[in-house]
Amino acid sequence: MFSIDDTIVAIATPPGRGGIGVVRLSGPEAPRIAEQLLSVSAPLKPRHATYARLQHACPPGGSSEIDEVIATLFPAPKSYTGQHVVEVSAHGSPVVLGEIVRAAVVAGARVAERGEFTLRAFLSGKRDLVQVEAIADLIAAVTPLQARLAFDQLQGTLTESIGRIDASVFDLIARLEASIDFPDEGYRFVDAHATVAEIKGAREAIERLLSRSARGRLIREGAIVVIAGPTNVGKSSLFNYLCGSNRAIVADVPGTTRDLISERVDVDGIAVTLVDTAGAREAVDAVEREGMERATRARDVANLTIVVADAAAEIGPEERALLEETKGRPRLLVANKSDLVSGRTSIRVDEWIAISVRTGDGLDRLRPAISSHLGGTVAATGTREEPAITNARHIGLLERALTCLGAAEGAAAKGRSEEFVLADLQTARTMFDEVVGRRTPDDVLNRIFETFCVGK
Ligand SMILES: Nc1nc2c(ncn2[C@@H]2O[C@H](COP(=O)(O)OP(=O)(O)OP(=O)(O)O)[C@@H](O)[C@H]2O)c(=O)[nH]1
Ligand SMILES: [Mg+2]
């Protein structure tokens, strides 16, 4: 997969029909192959949209013309992949686009593997690994905030931050090595005090990056939020309200919901998988019992459980059991049907958010409450200057770098010889290298590029 000498072709737009669809060619032969298929009399002008008819170079019989297209040549190195790239915009029909790919293959191109265009961008040094992962995230984003964080990473904010830390460590390593190489000069290139201070500076910079990682990861990966509670309290009504659709059946019959129902919703930029569950009560039959077991399993994997109760009723045994179960876990207590409460109500104080799905009372407080229970506020996500770390791979590597820097700092503080300090500093640098892809094992690369689809 890591060869970049041949010319690859693939449909770059999503499957299905659309106004236009794009076929992309990349490799040394891309201009030749394109010009062989296009009705052009002169070579394609760089970065110039050229109208042409596209036909099979060796017609399979009958008419050889496939479509009218716009072709654009991006000569190396100023292209997505760093190689010669030709993008052909045709009519967005899977049949037409498939035929164009076939014609390109007959003319000498090879069908691209998953992520192979982006892999070439990485191998030719156009993009580092953080940016490659950001491209995958940007394409996969389902909320605007996910897209924003991915775009910031694509712009290189995280790479720059790590680069600055790496440069400071590298500089310190150079001076420590000079101290070893020239021991008799009577001159130390760096004293122990400064060494400790500099390592501490690098360590704190990484800690600052990591301090926002939980929130960043939450935004990248999304969260599971499960709605639980006794029967008939309005769980499905709340679920429908948060989804903005009538996805779940609502009825004035206890035990209406029997299975798990889930839907993806955007809560303050977090991609939440919201799960409605069967109400808790003494099961009347095997199906209901199974439904409740599924509800229990859903609560077990939830990042947050919303416990719903009837604002106008007393706490019952089902609620008590749920409150006991969710104690100490992330949970949000919601008392629904506040419209039915006349005057004094027994239980719903302090911790409980009173709402009425029927009248809309209190509903504006729900989303902010869900978002803050999931972890922090959007403002804590970082700015363009202070990037948010969202990717578990980056988090893991930076945590290991932190451990190495801590060890180096400890050794320097104890006045141990430069060699001891150096070994840990070097290891920390290999972690930085692995984040941005300067040295990354092939299996890690394969795993990353596998997440792409063909044509990306
Ligand atoms: N008065 C009032 N009734 C509500 C409110 N929210 C829901 N209801 C009604 O309560 C009944 C039960 O609502 P559901 O959403 O089906 O309740 P559930 O908790 O999903 O019930 P199960 O699926 O049986 O566990 C329905 O008749 C709803 O119209 C509310 O805020 N006020
Ligand atoms: Mg229900």
Side-chain angles (χ1 to χ4, degrees):
M1 181 172 176
F2 296 145
S3 153
I4 55 170
D5 302 330
D6 50 0
T7 297
I8 51 173
V9 64
I11 301 172
T13 37
R17 290 163 209 286
I20 54 172
V22 175
V23 172
R24 183 155 60 176
L25 283 150
S26 173
E29 292 292 305
R32 183 195 62 74
I33 293 171
E35 282 153 17
Q36 210 179 321
L37 304 180
L38 296 169
S39 61
V40 286
S41 47
L44 291 168
K45 269 203 271 173
R47 291 176 294 287
H48 191 93
T50 305
Y51 168 84
R53 281 197 301 280
L54 193 148
Q55 66 254 316
H56 285 281
C58 319
S63 164
S64 65
E65 289 195 343
I66 301 170
D67 197 4
E68 298 173 324
V69 302
I70 300 288
T72 316
L73 165 67
F74 301 92
K78 286 188 168 172
S79 72
Y80 181 73
T81 60
Q83 303 184 297
H84 292 322
V85 166
V86 178
E87 285 181 10
V88 175
S89 302
H91 292 104
S93 143
V95 180
V96 168
L97 299 174
E99 201 63 15
I100 295 175
V101 168
R102 267 201 338 151
V105 168
V106 171
R110 165 172 72 73
V111 175
E113 309 268 346
R114 285 168 166 271
E116 204 172 359
F117 290 93
T118 310
L119 175 68
R120 289 182 174 204
F122 171 68
L123 293 175
S124 67
K126 291 286 289 192
R127 301 289 189 185
D128 66 28
L129 205 51
V130 170
Q131 291 174 313
V132 162
E133 291 169 305
I135 291 168
D137 286 353
L138 188 58
I139 293 170
V142 295
T143 75
L145 190 56
Q146 280 180 329
R148 199 201 92 191
L149 293 194
F151 184 72
D152 286 353
Q153 272 186 17
L154 183 56
Q155 297 302 293
T157 47
L158 179 58
T159 306
E160 278 167 26
S161 294
I162 292 175
R164 272 194 298 275
I165 301 169
D166 184 45
S168 71
V169 174
F170 179 67
D171 180 63
L172 181 60
I173 287 175
R175 281 177 291 142
L176 287 170
E177 281 178 346
S179 300
I180 297 173
D181 291 345
F182 307 103
D184 304 327
E185 306 281 293
Y187 172 77
R188 293 183 70 83
F189 291 83
V190 53
D191 67 37
H193 208 68
T195 304
V196 172
E198 283 181 39
I199 300 174
K200 186 156 178 265
R203 196 167 53 70
E204 286 171 353
I206 297 176
E207 275 169 357
R208 267 199 304 281
L209 282 176
L210 286 172
S211 68
R212 284 183 303 273
S213 63
R215 174 76 183 172
R217 216 180 138 179
L218 178 67
I219 288 165
R220 179 175 185 263
E221 295 176 3
I224 299 173
V225 174
V226 172
I227 303 179
T231 55
N232 221 32
V233 293
K235 296 183 299 301
S236 300
S237 307
L238 178 61
F239 176 84
N240 286 348
Y241 162 75
L242 288 170
C243 296
S245 76
N246 274 333
R247 175 82 172 72
I249 299 173
V250 167
D252 195 14
V253 185
T256 303
T257 307
R258 294 165 65 109
D259 211 338
L260 301 179
I261 305 176
S262 74
E263 194 75 20
R264 186 75 79 75
V265 294
D266 178 344
V267 178
D268 282 358
I270 305 167
V272 164
T273 302
L274 191 66
V275 185
D276 185 19
T277 61
R281 65 166 176 179
E282 201 63 54
V284 295
D285 58 27
V287 176
E288 192 166 0
R289 195 166 314 115
E290 174 62 24
M292 275 187 250
E293 274 165 25
R294 288 180 185 207
T296 309
R297 288 200 291 274
R299 291 196 299 277
D300 284 345
V301 299
N303 300 90
L304 173 69
T305 303
I306 303 181
V307 179
V308 185
D310 185 333
E314 298 286 337
I315 286 189
E318 290 86 9
E319 250 180 298
R320 214 163 289 145
L322 264 176
L323 290 175
E324 187 56 36
E325 177 194 303
T326 54
K327 201 177 349 182
R329 290 202 228 158
R331 70 175 182 192
L332 186 63
L333 305 181
V334 170
N336 185 35
K337 307 196 185 184
S338 63
D339 55 294
L340 295 184
V341 177
S342 52
R344 217 165 36 86
T345 172
S346 48
I347 48 163
R348 321 295 172 196
V349 285
D350 299 340
E351 278 187 279
W352 293 80
I353 299 184
I355 62 160
S356 165
V357 179
R358 179 154 296 173
T359 64
D361 174 43
L363 290 178
D364 53 336
R365 291 163 60 202
L366 262 182
R367 282 170 184 273
I370 294 172
S371 150
S372 78
H373 273 74
L374 282 173
T377 58
V378 180
T381 308
T383 60
R384 301 238 139 123
E385 295 71 43
E386 286 277 352
I389 297 207
T390 58
N391 186 312
R393 192 182 73 85
H394 307 162
I395 295 169
L397 287 166
L398 289 182
E399 279 170 349
R400 281 158 64 193
L402 202 57
T403 310
C404 296
L405 290 178
E409 191 183 329
K414 285 198 205 102
R416 307 192 59 181
S417 75
E418 280 88 353
E419 283 88 346
F420 283 102
V421 181
L422 272 170
D424 282 317
L425 293 182
Q426 308 274 24
T427 316
R429 285 199 73 216
T430 64
M431 303 300 152
F432 302 144
D433 284 351
E434 206 172 308
V435 173
V436 296
R438 262 194 302 274
R439 49 185 143 182
T440 305
D442 280 358
D443 57 333
V444 175
L445 286 183
N446 278 327
R447 191 148 14 99
I448 290 168
F449 285 98
E450 264 166 26
T451 64
F452 281 78
C453 9
V454 172
K456 304 282 162 32

